[in-house]
């Protein structure tokens, strides 16, 4: 999904149309080898005069775009001649994503699937809420609570997980409720149903990638120190934006218990930096070379200092060596951590329940909106 969103964001930025073909009997055509080294579903063809064709393939569906109509038409004709294919025209529906290609950008959402999910779990007539989780709320194991059907709970969580393909505003809470699939209780089910109630009022929402939007990756990283009340692990979160919309995001528990906020921020930033390296490599193949170092915005000054030199050694010498990978990337000029104000920290929405006004502000900065809100 990250690769598909990258292709869509880049196409929106450049004003390129995206087309779609459906391959019949795809499994009989064998393996493909001439693909991108960093993403095995991606194929790129270049010609002189900076002409470019991009193809993203998933089993029997493929989308393609580029900056030359003759290359696009030639590719379409050659594929239809070689294989049995259905020409679906401009991309409108792909892997559950609904795509609206507009003059001012591209809007993606999962409205149809969202409505099906609400109907499936009997929440299509529920009262909607303005945020997916109560501000400051903490979720934990409920040993004494009434157990609920595991399969039913897992079906809700799984459906919500797929919806996060276009809904980064729901990523944190979906990640949170997924930790309790083994022994869910009525307490956990009520939290999951609140997410469905939030979905009820936002079924039209998706991500809008603007034509002429930001050409460079805009990156945020944050953590919620010792946010898990049971194992005291921190929650890492990051967000990457391109063309004024989120293309990559994450919210998950850190693998180790951190001994300070600085250590927790460093672990989160290192994970973000790894993702930044991969995204830059893919974008380079897509002819969107990120020549400048990727700026990672962080609201912890100590972490920024540690990324540049081993200051405060006594406070950081215990940190596992793999997290010092961030320092090597900074030294090499691949990434650079810079300070941002906490109130502007977009990745905050990936790490903790927020007050409603803050949540709505950050949701907008993610590029999440409804079609009617697009100017």
């Amino acid at each position: 999904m990250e690769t598909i969103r990258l292709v869509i964001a880049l196409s929106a930025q450049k004003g390129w149309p995206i087309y779609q073909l459906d391959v019949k009997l795809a499994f009989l055509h064998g393996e493909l080898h001439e693909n991108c080294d960093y993403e095995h579903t991606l194929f790129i063809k270049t010609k002189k005069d900076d002409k470019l064709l991009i193809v993203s393939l998933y089993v029997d569906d493929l989308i393609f775009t580029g900056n030359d109509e003759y290359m696009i038409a030639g590719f379409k004709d050659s594929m239809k001649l070689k294989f049995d294919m259905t020409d679906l025209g401009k991309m409108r529906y792909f892997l559950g994503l609904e795509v609206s290609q507009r003059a001012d950008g591209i809007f993606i959402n999962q409205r149809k699937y969202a409505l099906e999910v609400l109907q499936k779990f009997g929440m299509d007539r529920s009262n909607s809420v303005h945020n997916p989780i109560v501000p400051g709320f903490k979720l934990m194991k409920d040993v004494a609570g009434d157990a609920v059907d595991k399969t039913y709970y897992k079906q809700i969580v799984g459906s919500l997980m797929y919806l996060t393909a276009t809904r980064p505003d729901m990523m944190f809470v979906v990640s949170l409720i997924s930790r309790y699939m083994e022994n869910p209780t009525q307490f956990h089910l009520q939290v999951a149903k609140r997410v469905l109630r939030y979905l009820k009022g936002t079924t039209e929402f998706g991500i809008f990638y603007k034509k002429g939007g930001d050409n460079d990756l805009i990156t945020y990283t944050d953590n919620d120190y010792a946010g898990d009340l049971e194992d005291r692990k921190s929650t890492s979160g990051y967000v990457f934006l391109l063309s004024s919309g989120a293309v990559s995001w994450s919210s998950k528990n850190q693998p180790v218990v951190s001994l300070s906020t600085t250590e927790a921020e460093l672990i989160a930033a290192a994970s973000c930096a790894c993702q930044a390296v991969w995204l830059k490599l893919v974008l380079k193949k897509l002819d969107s070379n990120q020549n400048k170092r990727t700026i990672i915005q962080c609201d912890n000054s100590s972490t920024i200092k540690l990324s540049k030199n081993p200051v405060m050694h006594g406070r950081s010498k215990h940190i596992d060596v793999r997290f010092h990978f961030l320092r090597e990337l900074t030294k090499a000029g691949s990434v650079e951590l810079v300070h941002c104000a906490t109130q502007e920290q977009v990745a905050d929405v990936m790490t903790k329940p927020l007050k409603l006004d803050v949540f709505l502000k950050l949701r907008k900065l993610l590029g999440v909106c409804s079609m009617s809100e697009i100017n």
Side-chain angles (χ1 to χ4, degrees):
M1 282 297 182
E2 286 173 325
T3 305
I4 292 166
R5 289 192 297 261
L6 274 180
V7 172
I8 292 173
L10 184 63
S11 300
Q13 183 188 97
K14 305 291 187 183
W16 299 342
I18 310 175
Y19 301 97
Q20 185 176 0
L21 290 172
D22 179 64
V23 189
K24 298 178 181 178
L25 302 175
F27 297 102
L28 303 180
H29 293 313
E31 296 184 4
L32 300 171
H33 300 287
E34 298 175 357
N35 55 330
C36 172
D37 295 334
Y38 315 111
E39 173 52 77
H40 297 303
T41 66
L42 198 60
F43 301 81
I44 300 103
K45 183 178 182 179
T46 56
K47 284 188 175 182
K48 295 179 180 179
D49 303 323
D50 297 323
K51 292 180 179 179
L52 175 72
L53 175 70
I54 298 168
V55 180
S56 182
L57 174 67
Y58 184 83
V59 189
D60 60 344
D61 285 302
L62 61 87
I63 58 173
F64 55 102
T65 186
N67 58 7
D68 186 77
E69 286 293 335
Y70 290 104
M71 285 185 70
I72 290 173
F75 169 75
K76 186 188 297 185
D77 291 340
S78 63
M79 292 296 285
K80 290 168 72 175
L81 183 65
K82 183 74 174 178
F83 307 109
D84 188 8
M85 291 199 169
T86 303
D87 185 357
L88 301 177
K90 282 192 175 183
M91 179 185 182
R92 292 194 301 270
Y93 194 82
F94 187 69
L95 303 181
L97 274 62
E98 297 172 53
V99 182
S100 176
Q101 301 189 51
R102 302 158 44 106
D104 56 350
I106 300 177
F107 180 74
I108 62 172
N109 73 348
Q110 292 165 283
R111 176 183 172 276
K112 183 175 180 291
Y113 181 70
L115 292 173
E116 290 174 355
V117 169
L118 290 170
Q119 188 173 20
K120 178 179 180 181
F121 298 110
M123 299 295 288
D124 50 322
R125 295 184 181 179
S126 62
N127 295 324
S128 62
V129 292
H130 296 295
N131 49 2
I133 186 170
V134 176
F137 180 79
K138 294 290 185 181
L139 192 60
M140 61 192 75
K141 290 180 181 178
D142 183 25
V143 179
D146 295 331
V148 297
D149 186 346
K150 291 183 184 180
T151 301
Y152 180 71
Y153 184 81
K154 288 177 180 179
Q155 286 175 339
I156 293 177
V157 174
S159 299
L160 290 171
M161 279 182 174
Y162 193 68
L163 278 165
T164 61
T166 58
R167 298 297 300 273
D169 54 318
M170 291 166 48
M171 188 71 242
F172 166 71
V173 67
V174 174
S175 173
L176 186 63
I177 62 176
S178 68
R179 301 173 194 172
Y180 301 93
M181 290 193 291
E182 187 58 34
N183 294 296
T185 65
Q186 282 291 342
F187 176 55
H188 302 120
L189 183 60
Q190 289 306 311
V191 179
K193 285 189 173 182
R194 181 184 174 89
V195 187
L196 292 171
R197 290 173 62 200
Y198 171 70
L199 179 65
K200 171 68 165 57
T202 58
T203 55
E204 306 280 342
F205 279 47
I207 306 173
F208 182 59
Y209 301 105
K210 293 181 181 178
K211 182 179 180 180
D214 298 302
N215 184 54
D216 295 323
L217 282 172
I218 299 175
T219 311
Y220 296 88
T221 180
D222 196 23
N223 92 100
D224 180 30
Y225 176 61
D228 193 312
L229 296 180
E230 289 160 350
D231 59 17
R232 281 307 184 186
K233 290 181 179 178
S234 303
T235 301
S236 291
Y238 63 68
V239 176
F240 289 83
L241 294 102
L242 186 70
S243 304
S244 304
V247 292
S248 178
W249 52 85
S250 173
S251 174
K252 63 181 180 180
N253 257 10
Q254 293 184 354
V256 295
V257 176
S258 302
L259 301 182
S260 66
T261 54
T262 298
E263 181 181 351
E265 288 277 4
L266 191 65
I267 293 170
S271 175
C272 179
C274 292
Q275 182 72 356
V277 170
W278 178 75
L279 288 172
K280 286 177 70 174
L281 290 171
V282 175
L283 283 169
K284 185 177 180 180
K285 284 288 185 180
L286 294 174
D287 202 35
S288 179
N289 199 358
Q290 304 285 307
N291 292 315
K292 296 181 292 185
R293 63 182 65 187
T294 299
I295 303 298
I296 299 177
Q297 303 192 56
C298 171
D299 58 11
N300 186 285
S301 299
S302 297
T303 301
I304 296 171
K305 292 175 183 177
L306 271 172
S307 72
K308 296 175 180 176
N309 55 73
V311 294
M312 304 176 292
H313 183 64
R315 291 170 56 187
S316 60
K317 62 184 179 182
H318 62 283
I319 301 175
D320 194 289
V321 68
R322 63 195 173 110
F323 300 126
H324 288 284
F325 175 62
L326 175 62
R327 188 180 300 154
E328 296 300 317
L329 290 177
T330 303
K331 186 177 179 181
S334 297
V335 302
E336 179 183 2
L337 261 69
V338 299
H339 190 268
C340 74
T342 301
Q343 58 269 27
E344 302 297 328
Q345 178 52 272
V346 178
D348 224 16
V349 77
M350 298 290 164
T351 62
K352 60 182 76 71
L354 301 171
K355 292 181 179 178
L356 180 59
D357 59 335
V358 178
F359 173 76
L360 296 178
K361 175 186 175 181
L362 298 185
R363 185 178 72 181
K364 186 175 181 180
L365 291 175
L366 287 168
V368 175
C369 60
S370 65
M371 185 80 80
S372 61
E373 293 175 344
I374 301 172
N375 295 327

